[in-house]
Amino acid sequence: VECSSADEALAAAGAGADIVLLDNLAPQELHAAAAEVKAAHPGVTVEASGGIVLGTLPQFLGPHINMVSSGCLTHSAPALDFALRV
């Protein structure tokens, strides 16, 4: 479940979500929210997402974050023009 706050993440985990995606949170806010979710629901997987690029990735890693998603891998990738003839 995609969540934009700790309250939404706690509600989603409480309703049975296996994974909560904390989207577009500043690193400090993200880590606090992830800690709250893990304290209340230790079995829930916490994913960080939104505005994460390779240069800022270390700021989003922490003991309560299980996964990190970064759209820069797809939307910032250069195009390649090629053809295949069989």
Side-chain angles (χ1 to χ4, degrees), residues 37-59:
V37 170
K38 287 291 192 173
H41 307 279
V44 170
T45 299
V46 177
E47 181 175 354
S49 180
I52 301 171
V53 296
L54 294 178
T56 62
L57 177 62
Q59 298 171 26

Side-chain angles (χ1 to χ4, degrees), residues 27-83:
Q28 186 174 7
E29 185 181 7
L30 168 75
H31 294 297
E36 283 186 58
V37 170
K38 287 291 192 173
H41 307 279
V44 170
T45 299
V46 177
E47 181 175 354
S49 180
I52 301 171
V53 296
L54 294 178
T56 62
L57 177 62
Q59 298 171 26
F60 292 89
L61 303 176
H64 305 293
I65 306 297
N66 300 105
M67 295 182 285
V68 177
S69 295
S70 180
C72 76
L73 298 174
T74 55
H75 65 68
S76 298
L80 174 63
D81 185 18
F82 71 94

Side-chain angles (χ1 to χ4, degrees), residues 15-39:
D18 295 325
I19 302 171
V20 293
L21 184 145
L22 296 171
D23 194 29
N24 290 317
L25 300 179
Q28 186 174 7
E29 185 181 7
L30 168 75
H31 294 297
E36 283 186 58
V37 170
K38 287 291 192 173

